[in-house]
Amino acid sequence: MTSNKTKRALDLVWQAQDELWKSSPNHLRAVNLGMAALKDLALERHCSNAYLVLAKAHEGLRNWSTAAIYWRMCQDAYPEGWTREMDLRLEVVLEASAQYGDETPSAYST
């Protein structure tokens, strides 16, 4: 049975994903929702969903190195769910990190 805390956290992950689907997403809001969700997630597969959302949100903020960290955490948390497309996405993020660095390193302070 899923606890109320876990249900709330999964709802936060869904809200973060919903934010990222918008035509003009608020990436910082998605980061904040994903971070709030992680506090109450215990199962690795649930955490991997939050890491995925955080990776994509950090990509949107052009925080390439942080995005790469979350992509790797996603892979480590639930390797069964890792796909070739995710591998390719991680490669793109690593290339962007090497080429551009982080464009908004102070994203958490805004």
Side-chain angles (χ1 to χ4, degrees):
M1 186 165 184
T2 306
S3 73
N4 285 336
K5 278 182 147 185
T6 301
K7 287 179 184 177
R8 182 184 168 284
L10 292 172
D11 185 55
L12 291 173
V13 172
W14 187 90
Q15 288 177 46
Q17 182 64 53
D18 185 58
E19 183 64 44
L20 295 173
W21 286 334
K22 293 179 179 178
S23 59
S24 296
N26 180 336
H27 295 100
L28 185 55
R29 180 174 185 271
V31 167
N32 290 334
L33 289 166
M35 294 301 292
L38 278 176
K39 294 176 188 174
D40 293 321
L41 294 174
L43 293 177
E44 290 179 344
R45 70 173 189 266
H46 291 161
C47 289
S48 71
N49 290 334
Y51 297 146
L52 176 68
V53 167
L54 287 164
K56 290 180 178 183
H58 280 287
E59 285 180 29
L61 292 169
R62 308 289 193 262
N63 289 335
W64 303 113
S65 60
T66 305
I69 290 168
Y70 281 113
W71 276 113
R72 287 186 176 124
M73 290 172 74
C74 177
Q75 181 182 31
D76 291 344
Y78 196 62
E80 303 85 35
W82 192 254
T83 65
R84 178 67 183 138
E85 291 79 18
M86 293 169 140
D87 250 345
L88 294 172
R89 186 78 172 246
L90 176 57
E91 287 177 27
V92 168
V93 168
L94 290 171
E95 288 174 17
S97 180
Q99 186 172 358
Y100 305 112
D102 286 343
E103 296 178 22
T104 56
S106 60
Y108 288 114
S109 63
T110 56

